[in-house]
Amino acid sequence: MLSGTYPHRHGIIANEWRDAITGAPEYCTGDTTATYIGHKTQPLDGTSPKNLMVETVGDVLRRADPRAKVIGISGKDRGAILPAGKTGTAYMYMTQTGFFASSTFYMPQHPAWVTAFNAAKPADRWFKKEWKALLPDEAYARSLPDRQAWYGQKAAALPMLMGAPSDEAPGSAYYSQLLRSPYADQLTLDFARAAIAGEGLGKDNVPDILSISLSGHDYINHRFSAESRFSHDHLLQLDRMLQDFFKHLDATVGRDNYIATLTADHGFMPAPEFTAQQGLRSGRIVGNQLLTRVNSGLEEEFGAGKWVSFSGSSLLLNKQLITQQRVDPDEVAEEARALLMEEPGIAAAYTRRELAAGSRIDGPFFGAMQRAWHVDVSGDVQYVLKPYWMFQSSSSIATHGSPYPYDTNVPILAWGPRWVKPGRVDERVEVVDIAPTVASWLGVAPPATSEGKPLPLPTK
Ligand SMILES: [Zn+2]
């Protein structure tokens, strides 16, 4: 959103992938040289923008004027770190404690306003409270009733208790549950208010950037699907939280002193069981079974060994085995693609040779796959699932990450009466257009690798 680029340039191809040479697991914001301040840190935890290969609007702004502050805040480490770019500061929600923390990549210790925010234990105020539906039942006629079989827990319904009945005090299970409720977003916005006050954002005549990533809707949709009443109610509650937040901005920063842009990183697929009920072909692919079949097919052709593994949305060739067996990696990739295409649920797959060639191919979504594939980071066979298909997962009943309209159509809203006139844009625009637009408002150049164009917004 703030780099104006696709993964083929910025290198963040997924949440997780494997090192293309060694096959070792990688995490998008992983960096073992940094740790969370005051919190335990695991090797693949997200602590820095090391893997981000490009600059963001905030980096350009801070280079133009180092007094500018750029702050990223989110329920998820990656939602805070990546928009903060290389030179901003990120704070993320910690499910160990319900606190917000930064990492040693950014600072040795928290400023006083962060310490004070956490000391009040604001996450604890929903413990043993119920998440209740905001509106009467008839307001949710467009959503699925609670307790659908595929929710996994028979009792999944509103009102929902925050914390387990047996819990005596808030713990990590409760703090994680808050992410799948409206309350982590409330906390995130509360922390954003504290950041505005603590850092004096918008106080002087040097512009600042505050990036707030509200993670709740994604967690809820993964857990209960976008057509659930949980998702519907969450969005209603978030809408009211945003109203309060904008009122707060008007009162503190001043209505004519900020521009707000609102967008989303993706849409969502419906749960496959729901689309199946509507007569559509859909399903869940068991990833490790698919991988076993592809590897068995490759063994028949090229000899014993584990030839491929998953990496992001691609199959990664085992480079050591290829060297050892003296086979042509392009031939292995071709065969892996052929085997993959025999699997149910796979719509298209492209090899490294095709993706790196930069042109050709009329196949479905080839251009989108090229932009989603990075030559140094991605694997060797990039694939697209058919609509309404997903990989089975213990944590998600629905997901995103496809090129289909239910997934790629997202809102882009801009508000700032001094700069943006009321109106709508009917031509096709993209999320990569946001960064050059923000850059033009700030009077700085777009990020160097930006491939968007300024949004054709109505202006005064
Ligand atoms: Zn997600």
Side-chain angles (χ1 to χ4, degrees):
M1 289 171 192
L2 287 170
S3 69
T5 63
Y6 291 108
H8 68 144
R9 291 185 180 169
H10 66 56
I12 305 295
I13 56 161
N15 290 351
E16 294 123 0
W17 62 83
R18 287 176 183 278
D19 182 279
I21 306 299
T22 67
E26 293 269 1
Y27 178 66
C28 57
T29 46
D31 179 354
T32 50
T33 67
T35 55
Y36 295 131
I37 295 170
H39 289 77
K40 283 197 211 96
T41 312
Q42 306 296 328
L44 288 175
D45 280 347
T47 53
S48 100
K50 182 188 77 171
N51 291 329
L52 177 66
M53 294 179 174
V54 300
E55 63 185 8
T56 60
V57 182
D59 295 322
V60 180
L61 176 66
R62 281 181 50 77
R63 196 161 55 237
D65 192 334
R67 294 172 300 173
K69 292 188 171 179
V70 174
I71 294 185
I73 293 171
S74 178
K76 294 183 184 180
D77 59 79
R78 52 191 181 269
I81 290 169
L82 299 170
K86 294 290 186 182
T87 60
T89 303
Y91 295 98
M92 39 256 159
Y93 178 73
M94 299 278 110
T95 54
Q96 299 167 43
T97 56
F99 295 166
F100 280 83
S102 190
S103 83
T104 54
F105 171 81
Y106 300 100
M107 60 186 83
Q109 57 187 49
H110 287 150
W113 66 265
V114 175
T115 309
F117 181 89
N118 289 331
K121 298 198 170 197
D124 292 8
R125 67 188 187 274
W126 297 285
F127 185 61
K128 298 290 175 93
K129 298 264 165 56
E130 283 186 324
W131 169 12
K132 295 192 182 87
L134 189 70
L135 301 177
D137 281 354
E138 54 271 26
Y140 301 92
R142 290 172 62 179
S143 305
L144 288 183
D146 296 347
R147 299 190 171 86
Q148 296 296 325
W150 52 90
Y151 292 173
Q153 337 165 308
K154 279 187 206 123
L158 296 179
M160 180 181 276
L161 184 70
M162 296 286 110
S166 57
D167 284 353
E168 289 189 359
S172 62
Y174 162 75
Y175 295 127
S176 300
Q177 188 193 7
L178 288 185
L179 284 168
R180 305 183 300 271
S181 81
Y183 307 122
D185 288 340
Q186 181 65 63
L187 273 177
T188 303
L189 290 167
D190 288 347
F191 188 76
R193 287 178 173 90
I196 292 166
E199 298 289 336
L201 301 182
K203 277 261 179 293
D204 57 18
N205 58 5
V206 181
D208 304 312
I209 295 178
L210 174 60
S211 161
I212 305 168
S213 165
L214 297 155
S215 307
H217 208 60
D218 179 70
Y219 279 112
I220 288 168
N221 288 351
H222 279 295
R223 184 67 193 74
F224 300 112
S225 77
E227 57 278 4
S228 67
R229 190 166 74 124
F230 299 93
S231 179
H232 190 165
D233 188 70
H234 174 266
L235 204 62
L236 293 171
Q237 301 219 23
L238 183 60
D239 184 57
R240 281 144 183 86
M241 288 177 212
L242 287 172
Q243 180 179 36
D244 288 344
F245 188 72
F246 289 131
K247 280 184 187 158
H248 179 81
L249 286 180
D250 288 351
T252 53
V253 178
R255 182 185 149 94
D256 289 324
N257 295 323
Y258 71 90
I259 302 182
T261 58
L262 191 148
T263 190
D265 50 349
H266 51 75
F268 240 88
M269 68 181 290
E273 291 78 4
F274 176 62
T275 37
Q277 277 184 357
Q278 320 216 309
L280 291 164
R281 288 187 184 191
S282 51
R284 297 177 197 275
I285 299 166
V286 181
N288 54 16
Q289 292 178 4
L290 176 150
L291 202 59
T292 302
R293 286 191 292 271
V294 172
N295 273 316
S296 305
L298 292 171
E299 284 189 324
E300 280 175 29
E301 197 77 18
F302 302 104
K306 196 185 170 209
W307 288 95
V308 291
S309 50
F310 285 116
S311 178
S313 295
S314 61
L315 294 179
L316 177 68
L317 300 186
N318 181 336
K319 304 289 184 319
Q320 287 74 20
L321 192 56
I322 280 170
T323 311
Q324 227 175 63
Q325 302 285 75
R326 300 207 187 98
V327 292
D328 177 358
D330 288 335
E331 268 177 47
V332 182
E334 280 294 347
E335 183 61 19
R337 183 248 298 277
L339 290 161
L340 199 55
M341 291 305 296
E342 289 172 14
E343 294 287 328
I346 305 291
Y350 299 104
T351 63
R352 168 172 292 272
R353 186 160 54 181
E354 290 165 346
L355 292 159
S359 58
R360 99 106 191 138
I361 309 266
D362 305 325
F365 310 111
F366 183 70
M369 286 307 103
Q370 254 187 343
R371 290 189 291 278
W373 183 85
H374 192 285
V375 63
D376 298 327
V377 184
S378 296
D380 305 277
V381 182
Q382 178 92 355
Y383 52 79
V384 187
L385 302 191
K386 288 181 178 163
Y388 307 119
W389 284 75
M390 65 180 282
F391 280 99
Q392 195 171 63
S393 142
S394 56
S395 56
S396 297
I397 67 156
T399 194
H400 48 81
S402 81
Y404 302 109
Y406 56 72
D407 213 328
T408 56
N409 286 7
V410 296
I412 300 179
L413 301 167
W415 160 260
R418 218 169 106 191
W419 295 272
V420 189
K421 266 202 280 191
R424 54 180 284 162
V425 172
D426 288 314
E427 65 197 79
R428 185 189 158 86
V429 295
E430 300 181 49
V431 171
V432 290
D433 297 337
I434 293 172
T437 307
V438 174
S440 77
W441 287 328
L442 293 167
V444 296
T449 55
S450 166
E451 50 200 309
K453 54 191 185 319
L455 292 164
L457 293 173
T459 49
K460 276 182 190 170

